[in-house]
Amino acid sequence: MAHVLIPGLSRGSVGAICTQAASWALPTSTLRSLTLASVMRSRRKTDHLERTATVLRREVMAAAKVCEITHESPSVKSLRLLVADKDFSFKAGQWVDFFIPGVSVVGGFSICSSPQQLERERIIELAVKYTNHPPAVWVHNKKNILDLVHEFPEKIACSFHVTKQTTQISSELKPYVTDGRITEKEIREHISAETLFYVCGPPPMTDFFSKHLESSHVPKEHICFEKWW
């Protein structure tokens, strides 16, 4: 699922600089008023964009793709995001404004990977602690294929085919895993007048399945794929 990101300045360092600058210029009575006002405002819940409205931003918006989610602890998940846009960059300590399709609230999450990793791999990593904030809830409750199979067994089935497997397959996945490539026989078993085929993978794989489906009289409009190479 795609996300949109905008890099911002570090919340920690910017807050410290603003506080220090104010103490140089304002008398004690004014500081007390500002402190009280800040405490009163903090009791009212505000969203990320409202809290950081005065922070300078680089107006670079880039699409991102989730390529891995890892449980770091019972309450923290990390996201590995692929950001192909070469104009997107950041410095250590910065955060991103995190826009999620279908979620009206914008999240703000710190980047916990290095700028060098983005340069080498076009990957950034975010660490998200669970809260009842909608963006955090979305990160911690994103369903995978098996969740959908278990929820809708009469509607959804899946079969994972693996080749050159080098790591142990989890017990949860084993009942759904077949060793070897998808065969032409297996494809034929799923061909019908209503079936839509979505093909994604390296060019030779996409070409092979598309040509095989066409030769099996599947209409071209029922064969969907994206050529990203």
Side-chain angles (χ1 to χ4, degrees):
M1 185 173 289
H3 310 288
V4 181
L5 309 167
I6 304 177
L9 298 178
S10 170
R11 284 171 287 187
S13 61
V14 171
I17 292 171
C18 291
T19 302
Q20 189 178 28
S23 67
W24 291 338
L26 300 176
T28 303
S29 59
T30 305
L31 283 176
R32 287 175 180 169
S33 299
L34 288 175
T35 302
L36 178 60
S38 298
V39 171
M40 292 177 65
R41 282 199 299 270
S42 69
R43 292 175 181 170
R44 181 175 65 85
K45 289 186 177 180
T46 58
D47 66 20
H48 166 69
L49 291 183
E50 185 178 354
R51 288 194 303 271
T52 62
T54 60
V55 176
L56 179 65
R57 282 171 162 78
R58 289 185 59 224
E59 294 298 329
V60 177
M61 182 175 289
K65 179 181 179 182
V66 176
C67 52
E68 186 177 350
I69 301 177
T70 305
H71 293 262
E72 302 294 347
S73 75
S75 61
V76 176
K77 285 188 176 182
S78 65
L79 297 184
R80 284 175 57 87
L81 300 171
L82 176 64
V83 185
D85 189 344
K86 295 294 181 66
D87 290 332
F88 180 92
S89 62
F90 72 96
K91 295 181 179 180
Q94 290 184 314
W95 83 76
V96 293
D97 296 331
F98 196 68
F99 295 80
I100 303 169
V103 178
S104 59
V105 180
V106 178
F109 301 128
S110 297
I111 304 174
C112 57
S113 55
S114 68
Q116 289 74 26
Q117 184 177 9
L118 177 63
E119 293 177 4
R120 292 192 310 266
E121 307 172 33
R122 302 309 307 167
I123 292 290
I124 67 169
E125 297 183 10
L126 309 178
V128 182
K129 183 177 177 63
Y130 180 80
T131 67
N132 60 2
H133 195 238
V137 171
W138 182 88
V139 170
H140 281 262
N141 298 334
K142 183 180 173 189
K143 292 185 177 180
N144 59 32
I145 292 176
L146 288 188
D147 289 331
L148 296 173
V149 170
H150 296 154
E151 187 173 354
F152 306 102
E154 72 286 355
K155 295 181 179 180
I156 299 176
C158 71
S159 175
F160 300 108
H161 288 248
V162 299
T163 59
K164 301 180 181 178
Q165 185 71 18
T166 58
T167 58
Q168 185 175 358
I169 298 173
S170 68
S171 58
E172 182 186 22
L173 285 175
K174 279 186 177 179
Y176 303 92
V177 172
T178 299
D179 187 17
R181 296 185 177 185
I182 301 173
T183 64
E184 296 181 8
K185 178 178 180 297
E186 289 170 313
I187 296 175
R188 285 196 301 271
E189 291 174 353
H190 291 86
I191 293 176
S192 70
E194 296 81 22
T195 304
L196 294 177
F197 293 87
Y198 295 86
V199 185
C200 179
M205 173 184 170
T206 301
D207 292 341
F208 169 80
F209 285 115
S210 298
K211 290 177 181 177
H212 177 72
L213 291 170
E214 289 182 28
S215 66
S216 300
H217 307 292
V218 175
K220 285 187 176 182
E221 59 270 22
H222 287 192
I223 307 170
C224 307
F225 58 85
E226 179 183 16
K227 288 192 173 182
W228 45 264
W229 57 91

